[in-house]
Amino acid sequence: MCGIVAYIGEKQAFPILLEGLKRLEYRGYDSAGISILNGTLKTVKKKGKVSDLEAVSATIDTTGTLGIGHTRWATHGKPDDINAHPHNSGDGTISLVHNGIIENYATIKKALEDRGHVFKSQTDTEVLVHLIEEFKNQDNLDLEQAVTKALSRVVGAYAIVVVDKENPNQIVAARKSSPLVLGIGDKEFYVASDASPIIKYTKKVVYLNDEEIAIANRDGSFVVKNIHNEIQEPVIQELDLKIEQLEKGGYDHFMLKEIMEQPTTIAESMRGRINAEEGWVSLGGLEEHQQRILNAHRIIFVACGTSWHSALIAEYLIEDLARIPVEVEYASEFRYRNPILTEKDVVIAISQSGETADTLAALEIAKEKGALTYGIVNVVGSSIARVTDSGSYIHAGPEIGVASTKAFTSQLVVLILMALKLGEKKGTIPSGMLRELIYGLESVPKKVAEILEQKEKIKLIAQEIQNKPNALYLGRGLNFPVALEGALKLKEISYIHAEGYPAAEMKHGPIALIDEDMPVFIVATNVSAHEKIVSNIQEVKARKGVVIAIVNEGDNIISGLADFTFEIPYIEEPLTPLLSVIPLQLISYYISVMRGCNVDQPRNLAKSVTVE
Ligand code: AGP
């Protein structure tokens, strides 16, 4: 995934682009670059962070009121100065930035080389800008026409912004499968991969749809067309994001801010969707297709990473409470295995970003095979939100830290609401239990806040674990996916090898790993399997393993056995993942900080994987 920013208007473009790129660094940060048009085309680009780009830009004249910028997460060509974007045409008149993958770039590149084009980089993006140049010069087309013709030859995903030295009063932007937002100012336009670089200047935006091209002019006019040159009616939206949401809010890292704001974000994900007094739950997107979902042959979740973990928890809850068969699939596996699907199936995609390529591809297969598609997404206007038949936003607000935290708990809230609603409609949840669970759900924000108040205790546990080379996470039932999530958090931000396992599986292999140097996190809040968890802990202790147990308040049995214990407040068992994950998030955060890792932008990772 990469970040794109562009500007045309009366202000100086460079400072706008630089600040915008800094807001987008979470999308990709192995290199960055900017082009400014001011009679001449000046391009500066650099391996490294935006701050490195800022340093080298100090040596050149960056005045100009038209410019494009880019932060890169490499797909084709290693991260270096040459492969960084923007990429320019051979004649030096056109400059382009791109997020996505041109799958047929090699064929196009060969044809262009045969016509004398010379390439400097290994990227697919440079091929695209040369293709635009070819059509512009050979077919005597203007920028818009050349871009349209070039994109009709392209197979793959793109979000691009293109400028032409010979037409300095226009910006052309286009998207397919990668997000792009057009910000509309007073005789000025902003283009970006998401709203964060735009919100400071204007709240009026247009989210481009797939195969749409926006042509924005310095005189304040703009038009949106599709790839077939047909004019589209743009939907101008008013952003309700606040700029401070995008700041760190006084915390050292976005991840800590996002962990600490979970009482609020969990409450936001429930707002207008439950009422304990009156005993109801409501999920708008679900109700639109309620009958079809209630009568579904199967519900199939497709997701990746943390979103896949929340899907696993949904499987336990929906099957237990609503008695509808559920399957959970890694989207990346589902999309390639020619799955058996019919219109009697419901495919639910869970995705914080709404842009994960594998999840989008899995949805395309579901749509082709006639299944009902549903999205559980955080980013408003994202691709998954737009390609699904219906869906529910989780309302967690922008999640900037690469490691997902508040999005996970807000996904769980929506999935719990779904299980309760479906169970209520199917009559498989006794009304007393439904009301009890709704009351329990309403109490979650306060109980999460109680856990967060004990962050110093959690930090002490982190200190004991910070230098361990490996870690095991165990859980039973609903807590097995929580164990997986805890392991993913630790490995992705502290680079400690960690794996999650069903606790009962220990004896089938992992127990061979246990020694005094192996910390074993055990998520032990199950009431229904308590004695089994106790024996798992004893197995670990017998082999000198270090046990860190997450337990229910007052569980003196496990507290007496474990080396470290963290108690969560009482809550109904189906809701415990919302609480038991919190200490695991914080432990991973503190260990990452203690190990001097880049918490918000861990190595090799990006916030949303929009490539395969
Ligand atoms: C989780 O901490 C990771 N950032 C990663 O596994 C993430 O959950 C995964 O890439 C899926 O992203 P999505 O929810 O935006 O689709």
Side-chain angles (χ1 to χ4, degrees), residues 11-271:
K11 299 187 186 84
Q12 285 304 309
F14 185 73
I16 294 170
L17 299 178
L18 211 54
E19 182 179 350
L21 291 179
K22 286 176 181 170
R23 289 201 190 290
L24 292 177
E25 270 201 304
Y26 71 91
R27 298 177 62 85
Y29 37 83
D30 58 45
S31 55
I34 280 175
S35 281
I36 299 279
L37 264 187
N38 183 15
T40 63
L41 171 63
K42 277 164 288 186
T43 299
V44 57
K45 52 188 190 175
K46 186 98 188 71
K47 182 177 188 299
K49 294 198 171 305
V50 175
S51 51
D52 300 315
L53 173 72
E54 189 171 12
V56 297
S57 305
T59 60
I60 63 168
D61 170 13
T62 56
T63 51
T65 58
L66 169 56
I68 59 178
H70 186 271
T71 58
R72 184 169 183 244
W73 188 57
T75 55
H76 290 78
K78 64 183 186 306
D80 65 17
D81 297 1
I82 300 291
N83 289 330
H85 300 206
H87 287 283
N88 299 342
S89 55
D91 63 6
T93 60
I94 303 169
S95 193
L96 175 145
V97 289
H98 168 226
N99 176 24
I101 285 188
I102 310 293
E103 293 179 9
N104 60 334
Y105 84 99
T107 314
I108 298 172
K109 184 169 184 173
K110 176 75 176 61
L112 290 170
E113 283 171 332
D114 293 348
R115 295 182 61 81
H117 288 258
V118 177
F119 292 90
K120 298 177 186 139
S121 80
Q122 305 150 318
T123 66
D124 54 342
T125 304
E126 191 184 10
V127 172
L128 181 54
V129 71
H130 278 253
L131 185 62
I132 294 167
E133 173 192 9
E134 179 69 11
F135 287 137
K136 177 192 163 194
N137 295 339
Q138 297 310 315
D139 301 3
N140 196 26
L141 299 177
D142 67 19
L143 182 63
E144 171 202 337
Q145 295 161 333
V147 169
T148 303
K149 187 166 182 180
L151 293 179
S152 67
R153 300 295 198 282
V154 153
V155 175
Y158 55 79
I160 60 169
V161 184
V162 202
V163 293
D164 179 357
K165 187 170 78 169
E166 293 167 349
N167 178 359
N169 298 316
Q170 189 174 80
I171 260 187
V172 176
R175 71 150 278 170
K176 182 182 176 192
S177 304
S178 293
L180 208 55
V181 186
L182 175 70
I184 301 164
D186 178 12
K187 287 195 175 174
E188 58 181 12
F189 291 96
Y190 304 80
V191 185
S193 302
D194 69 30
S196 53
I198 296 173
I199 179 92
K200 176 178 175 181
Y201 307 103
T202 176
K203 289 180 182 286
K204 281 171 64 179
V205 297
V206 172
Y207 285 90
L208 289 186
N209 293 306
D210 275 356
E211 296 193 342
E212 282 188 344
I213 300 168
I215 299 97
N217 303 301
R218 201 183 285 277
D219 63 8
S221 66
F222 80 100
V223 67
V224 175
K225 297 183 175 179
N226 66 17
I227 199 102
H228 311 296
N229 205 27
E230 296 153 345
I231 291 183
Q232 306 298 297
E233 188 54 47
V235 175
I236 299 178
Q237 300 185 35
E238 190 78 15
L239 279 173
D240 65 2
L241 271 174
K242 297 182 187 60
I243 195 85
E244 56 277 0
Q245 280 182 289
L246 304 168
E247 299 299 346
K248 292 179 188 166
Y251 290 101
D252 292 342
H253 301 98
F254 279 112
M255 183 178 176
L256 183 58
K257 171 176 175 278
E258 288 148 13
I259 290 172
M260 299 307 285
E261 63 187 7
Q262 286 179 109
T264 305
T265 52
I266 288 170
E268 279 302 309
S269 56
M270 285 189 259
R271 191 180 304 286

Side-chain angles (χ1 to χ4, degrees), residues 284-306:
L286 182 72
E287 280 139 29
E288 276 173 56
H289 301 270
Q290 194 156 274
Q291 254 349 89
R292 192 167 168 191
I293 297 172
L294 286 168
N295 301 326
H297 173 57
R298 280 175 306 175
I299 292 176
I300 299 167
F301 284 99
V302 292
C304 304
T306 287

Side-chain angles (χ1 to χ4, degrees), residues 373-572:
T373 58
Y374 196 94
I376 295 178
V377 169
N378 190 33
V379 177
V380 173
S382 59
S383 300
I384 290 175
R386 279 124 41 87
V387 300
T388 40
D389 297 314
S390 185
S392 302
Y393 285 122
I394 66 170
H395 301 305
E399 186 177 69
I400 309 297
V402 164
S404 189
T405 51
K406 64 175 183 174
F408 177 68
T409 48
S410 289
Q411 286 169 355
L412 290 185
V413 168
V414 170
L415 291 162
I416 290 165
L417 289 169
M418 183 176 275
L420 294 178
K421 189 67 192 172
L422 293 172
E424 178 198 18
K425 287 296 170 192
K426 289 198 75 155
T428 48
I429 304 181
S431 63
M433 181 180 181
L434 176 64
R435 189 174 288 256
E436 191 187 326
L437 289 173
I438 297 173
Y439 269 114
L441 206 43
E442 268 193 350
S443 75
V444 169
K446 187 169 65 63
K447 291 176 177 173
V448 169
E450 285 171 27
I451 292 170
L452 294 172
E453 279 158 19
Q454 302 175 63
K455 61 181 188 298
E456 291 310 315
K457 177 176 180 187
I458 292 168
K459 196 185 277 189
L460 292 174
I461 297 174
Q463 276 163 353
E464 297 296 321
I465 310 297
Q466 61 172 306
N467 296 318
K468 298 294 183 186
N470 302 288
L472 261 182
Y473 287 71
L474 304 178
R476 282 176 178 266
L478 274 178
N479 284 323
F480 162 48
V482 177
L484 292 174
E485 175 58 12
L488 176 60
K489 288 287 95 53
L490 185 68
K491 77 180 87 169
E492 72 174 325
I493 62 173
S494 71
Y495 318 144
I496 293 174
H497 170 247
E499 55 184 307
Y501 244 90
E505 277 296 299
M506 276 277 289
K507 51 189 172 296
H508 299 286
I511 201 160
L513 296 172
I514 306 297
D515 60 22
E516 62 281 2
D517 219 19
M518 176 64 85
V520 180
F521 293 86
I522 298 190
V523 190
T525 59
N526 318 58
V527 176
S528 45
H530 192 266
E531 70 287 351
K532 293 188 172 51
I533 282 276
V534 168
S535 58
N536 291 143
I537 292 172
Q538 287 163 334
E539 286 159 19
V540 173
K541 291 303 296 171
R543 291 156 180 84
K544 301 191 178 56
V546 177
V547 172
I548 305 98
I550 311 293
V551 300
N552 290 319
E553 210 162 39
D555 185 337
N556 300 322
I557 297 172
I558 293 179
S559 303
L561 289 170
D563 299 275
F564 303 94
T565 304
F566 187 86
E567 295 187 358
I568 63 170
Y570 168 77
I571 200 161
E572 290 72 16

